[in-house]
Each structure stands twice: as C-alpha cells, then as structure tokens.
C-alpha cells in the first residue's frame, strides 16, 4: 500500500474517531426530533364521500387522483351524505369528509375534535317536480313555494344525507305541518327511478351542479326545477343558507336550459378533518382544493372558492395558509415530501446547529491529542531507559537491547504529515540516548 494512501486513511480514521461521539449525538438528536415531529405523513388516508353518482363521489375521485401524484392513497368511503360523514369522522372511521353546512347538527365537542379546511363549493337545494303533478296544486303548473307541496309525494333523501333535517326546518318555517306532505326517505338512485316512473311527485336533494343526477334531471322533459321566490328571505332567516341564482341557459346555451333564471337557496360544503389527522395530509388536501374548486362555476366566480368564510368549525392552520397565502417556496421546486420534511424540521435543524457548533470546538483538540499520543507515549519508556542508565540500575548492554526494541516500535508508528516533526524529534532523542549509552 503506498505510504501517501496509508497516511490519508490514517488521518481519516483519526478524524472519524475524534468526531464520532459528536456525530452520534447529532444523529441521535435528529432521530429523536424526527420521531417526535413525525414530519412525513402516512401513505394512506380515508375520505368519506357520499352516495353513488353524487358530486361528493365525483370530487372524491378527483382528490384520489390528485394525491396519488404525491404517493398518497386516498381510500374513498361511500356514505349516505353529510350527516353520515360527520358521524364517520366522530367515530374515527374517516380522516377527511365532505360535510354540508346546516344539514347536520353539530355536537358541543365537535370544535375540539374536528377542523375545517375551508368551504369548497355551494350546494343548492334542488327540488325537482313533475309537471303533471304540479297541475294538481297550481293551475300554472309551476311551483315557487314549499307550501304548494301539501298533498304531494315528496322524497327528501335518506337520513344520512342531512337533507331530511334541512327540509324539516324549511317546512316548519313555512308552517307546513307533518302529515300534510307525504314524505319518503329513499336513497337518491331508487328515488330518482321512482320519480321518473311517476311514483313520486317531487324529489329533493342538496348537491353541487357537478352531480350527474342534477345534470340529467335538468334536461329531462316533463321535469321542472322549483323556483324559490323567497330565496333572499331564506338567506336572512337561516345563516347557513345563501341565496343563489341559476342563470338562464347556463346548463345548455343552445337548448336554453333553463329557459329562465331560477332562484335557489344553497349551503356551502366544507372539507372537514379529524384533529389527529397528519398536518401534511391536511396541507395536501387544502392545496389541491385550490385546483379542484378554484375555477368558475354555475354559482360562483373564479377563485371565489375555496374560502375560509361560512365555516361552522375552526379553520385548520394548514387550510388557512393554503387558501390565503402563496405556495411555500420549497414546494415550488422540490417534491412535496422533501419540502414538507425540510419545512417541519428546519427549526430543529437550526437548534441542533446552534448546539453542535460550540461542541464541535472540542474535536480539533481531541484529534490532536490522539495523534500526538501515539508519539508521546514512547517518551515515557525512553525516559525510563535514561533514568536506569544514570542510576546504574541496569547494565548498558541490557539498556541497548531495550532501546533497540523501543526504536523498532517507533519505526512502526504512523502519523499525519503535519505531525511528522514530532515523530522525527522522538527518533532523534532515541539516537541521543543511544550515543550516551555508547559513551558509557
């Protein structure tokens, strides 16, 4: 092995041994901080959506595709709707869920268990009715008041959807007593089939316009959408409702569907999460909500959603940051998991650096001591030989043998070039003692 290469290896070994304890301390602190902060999210999250062919299901698939790009598997959990989703969050069966404002009763401890990532879109109350059924209660064949539903067969959706609770409140506000309307609570798909078959007179559900069922019924002959003539009053009496208007021709410009502006009432749907859900997952959902819900729609302008308004629960700081602040600098240029790791660990790294810098000053003295000790340890033996010579405790011949042995050991000592002068000084001192012995 070349001497230069051997010296390099020796120097590296001394450096590693000298700095080893400090490096292990830093590594231990990093591992402890990583374990405590848990910066990287789990690779699976459960999203409670809604019934088949609903807007919730459609948006769930979009989130599933968006988060897959960052290596997160979104498991979609179908449900009956908002009320069921809220219950799934409380029971811990879902991590994130779509919940419509006003359609589910909040419990006192919900603000402590759940957080909101912002409101995503408006969900109008769609009340579709058959034209032939409307003629039974209105000579014009058009309905514009909930009081006109008396005597009609109306499906208000399953209990888990939250719409029955909402409709009870709206009917009560219109002084429509129970029993005056023949209410049924079928799920959306069988109810729609019964409605189209003439077994129901009206169909009520709350959904975003992206729902395939909504778009189909808006263009079905003989089916009309009820005009809420008092939609402004509903918005004033119920804080969770917003008056909106479905513009003429927005469904189909060529077919002029609808043929006139339709006044509706709508609630806002929020993305809720359990308090213990990993912050990085909340950030991913909130950031992807910008792309999925930020475009203009039938009832909103571009970038109007997501929004921190209309929330019945506290807004998570991840949602607040994603909605109201620009994308963090690191996330613009680095993969999400790297940027997230740095953002969550930077404070720990700063503290660790502040602690390690003063401690690192002990490494050079330790390194120097290790290298010089390989030379100085033999000075003790050399001094013993010289003392024995001066005191006459040993024969000169024996001392020469001991000196030869010492010199053989010293010749095997290797030190970095920067400390070679001390090694040669030791050899020179050995020769001085030898000459003294020979003179004796």
């Amino acid at each position: 092995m070349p001497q230069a290469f051997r010296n390099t290896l020796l120097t590296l070994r001394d450096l590693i041994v000298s700095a080893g304890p400090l490096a292990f301390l830093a590594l231990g602190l990093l591992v402890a901080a990583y374990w405590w902060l848990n910066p990287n999210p789990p690779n699976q999250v459960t999203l409670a959506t809604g019934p088949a062919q609903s807007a919730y299901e459609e948006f769930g698939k979009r989130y599933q595709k968006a988060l897959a790009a960052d290596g997160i598997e979104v498991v979609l959990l179908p449900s009956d709707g908002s009320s069921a989703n809220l219950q799934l969050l409380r029971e811990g069966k879902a991590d994130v869920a779509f919940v419509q404002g006003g359609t589910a009763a909040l419990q006192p401890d919900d603000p402590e268990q759940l957080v909101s990532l912002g409101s995503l879109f408006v969900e109008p109350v769609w009340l579709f009715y058959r034209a032939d059924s409307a003629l039974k209660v209105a000579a014009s064949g058009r309905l514009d008041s909930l009081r006109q539903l008396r005597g009609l067969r109306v499906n208000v959706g399953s209990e888990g959807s939250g719409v029955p609770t909402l409709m009870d409140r709206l009917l009560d506000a219109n002084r429509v007593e129970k029993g005056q309307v023949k209410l049924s609570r079928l799920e959306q798909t069988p109810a729609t089939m019964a409605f189209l078959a003439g077994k129901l007179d009206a169909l009520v559900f709350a959904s975003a316009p992206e729902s395939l069922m909504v778009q189909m019924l808006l263009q079905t002959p003989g089916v009309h959408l009820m005009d809420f003539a008092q939609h402004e009053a509903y918005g004033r009496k119920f804080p969770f409702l917003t008056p909106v208007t479905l513009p003429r021709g927005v469904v189909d410009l060529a077919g002029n569907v609808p043929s006139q502006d339709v006044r509706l009432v709508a609630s806002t749907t929020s993305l809720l999460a359990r308090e213990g859900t990993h912050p990085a997952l909340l950030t991913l959902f909130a950031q992807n909500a910008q792309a999925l819900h930020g475009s203009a729609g039938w009832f909103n302008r571009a970038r109007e959603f997501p929004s921190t308004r209309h929330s019945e629960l506290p807004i998570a700081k991840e949602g607040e940051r994603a909605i109201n602040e620009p994308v963090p600098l690191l996330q613009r240029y680095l993969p999400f998991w790297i940027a997230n790791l740095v953002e969550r660990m930077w404070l720990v790294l700063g503290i660790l650096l502040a602690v390690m810098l003063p401690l690192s000053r002990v490494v050079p003295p330790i390194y120097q001591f290790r290298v010089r000790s390989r030379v100085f340890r033999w000075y003790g033996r050399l001094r013993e030989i010289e003392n024995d010579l001066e005191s006459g405790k040993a024969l000169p011949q024996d001392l020469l043998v001991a000196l030869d042995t010492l010199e053989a050991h010293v010749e095997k000592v290797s030190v970095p070039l920067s400390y070679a002068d001390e090694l040669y000084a030791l050899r020179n001192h050995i020769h001085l003692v030898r000459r003294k012995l020979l003179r004796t």
Side-chain angles (χ1 to χ4, degrees):
M1 181 183 298
Q3 187 62 34
F5 183 66
R6 183 180 178 185
N7 288 336
T8 301
L9 289 180
L10 185 65
T11 302
L12 287 175
R13 187 192 70 179
D14 288 327
L15 282 173
I16 291 173
V17 173
S18 301
L22 193 64
F24 277 115
L25 175 61
L27 182 61
L29 291 175
L30 275 177
V31 171
Y34 185 91
W35 174 81
W36 179 57
L37 290 175
N38 189 22
N40 286 333
N43 56 10
Q44 188 179 87
V45 60
T46 302
L47 171 62
T49 55
Q53 299 182 345
S54 65
Y56 288 178
E57 182 189 51
E58 177 62 26
F59 281 123
K61 292 177 180 178
R62 296 182 189 180
Y63 277 101
Q64 187 179 51
K65 182 179 179 181
L67 267 69
D70 291 301
I72 305 297
E73 179 189 0
V74 179
V75 178
L76 302 182
L77 183 61
S79 70
D80 290 334
S82 290
S83 294
N85 286 352
L86 196 56
Q87 189 60 33
L88 289 172
L89 286 174
R90 291 173 182 143
E91 295 174 355
K93 296 179 181 178
D95 303 304
V96 188
F98 299 113
V99 177
Q100 187 182 53
T103 61
L106 294 176
Q107 296 179 357
D109 57 347
D110 281 341
E112 300 176 4
Q113 300 182 41
L114 308 175
V115 292
S116 172
L117 297 179
S119 52
L120 307 179
F121 49 87
V122 295
E123 285 194 280
V125 177
W126 306 94
L127 198 159
F128 292 99
Y129 60 91
R130 295 177 59 88
D132 53 358
S133 299
L135 290 171
K136 301 175 184 177
V137 294
S140 63
R142 293 284 181 175
L143 302 183
D144 59 6
S145 170
L146 293 180
R147 294 177 62 83
Q148 294 174 307
L149 297 179
R150 291 170 175 168
L152 298 184
R153 300 163 297 176
V154 181
N155 187 79
V156 294
S158 59
E159 195 65 46
S161 67
V163 179
T165 303
L166 176 61
M167 283 302 296
D168 284 344
R169 298 173 71 173
L170 297 185
L171 290 172
D172 184 63
N174 281 274
R175 299 195 186 94
V176 178
E177 299 178 2
K178 291 184 179 180
Q180 291 183 320
V181 181
K182 301 174 184 177
L183 299 178
S184 61
R185 297 188 176 182
L186 300 175
E187 293 184 359
Q188 192 175 97
T189 300
T192 303
M193 295 176 63
F195 174 70
L196 295 176
K199 298 178 181 179
L200 291 172
D201 299 310
L203 188 65
V204 184
F205 54 88
S207 177
E210 285 80 1
S211 169
L212 297 177
M213 200 73 74
V214 169
Q215 299 195 29
M216 182 269 291
L217 290 172
L218 284 171
Q219 302 183 66
T220 300
V223 174
H224 297 311
L225 178 62
M226 190 182 108
D227 177 49
F228 281 78
Q230 299 169 308
H231 70 154
E232 289 288 350
Y234 282 108
R236 304 292 174 86
K237 290 183 68 67
F238 299 98
F240 54 84
L241 291 179
T242 302
V244 296
T245 300
L246 184 67
R248 174 183 175 181
V250 72
V251 179
D252 184 359
L253 284 172
N256 194 31
V257 179
S259 58
Q260 59 184 13
D261 290 351
V262 182
R263 293 161 292 186
L264 302 171
V265 292
S267 62
T268 54
T269 291
S270 299
L271 192 61
L272 303 188
R274 293 174 57 236
E275 183 67 40
T277 305
H278 198 283
L281 290 177
L282 300 183
T283 299
L284 275 177
F285 272 99
Q287 289 179 346
N288 281 285
Q290 305 295 309
L292 295 179
H293 307 286
S295 58
W298 287 2
F299 302 101
N300 63 278
R301 301 182 185 276
R303 294 181 295 278
E304 190 175 338
F305 289 101
S307 170
T308 54
R309 302 188 304 272
H310 311 297
S311 179
E312 298 175 276
L313 289 171
I315 300 291
K317 59 181 181 181
E318 292 80 8
E320 186 82 40
R321 187 162 51 243
I323 293 172
N324 299 322
E325 298 179 12
V327 178
L329 181 64
L330 291 179
Q331 293 185 26
R332 300 177 195 174
Y333 305 104
L334 297 175
F336 176 81
W337 69 273
I338 297 179
N340 174 71
L341 178 63
V342 174
E343 288 172 1
R344 290 183 59 79
M345 293 286 287
W346 72 268
L347 182 59
V348 173
L349 293 174
I351 296 174
L352 187 62
L353 188 63
V355 172
M356 289 294 113
L357 278 178
L359 292 178
S360 64
R361 295 178 182 177
V362 305
V363 175
I366 293 175
Y367 173 76
Q368 186 180 41
F369 173 78
R370 283 189 51 80
V371 173
R372 298 182 71 183
S373 66
R374 289 205 292 270
V375 176
F376 292 159
R377 60 182 292 206
W378 299 111
Y379 272 105
R381 179 58 180 152
L382 180 62
R383 188 168 185 176
E384 288 177 5
I385 293 173
E386 189 174 16
N387 288 338
D388 289 345
L389 172 63
E390 292 175 353
S391 63
K393 290 183 179 180
L395 296 175
Q397 295 85 350
D398 295 337
L399 293 177
L400 280 173
V401 172
L403 200 59
D404 290 338
T405 303
L406 173 60
E407 189 172 24
H409 284 300
V410 171
E411 287 178 352
K412 296 178 182 178
V413 173
S414 295
V415 294
L417 294 178
S418 58
Y419 293 89
D421 57 337
E422 297 183 3
L423 180 61
Y424 283 107
L426 174 59
R427 290 180 178 179
N428 185 45
H429 293 155
I430 291 173
H431 286 300
L432 290 176
V433 174
R434 185 185 298 280
R435 285 161 58 185
K436 190 174 181 180
L437 271 169
L438 291 176
R439 285 199 307 270
T440 305

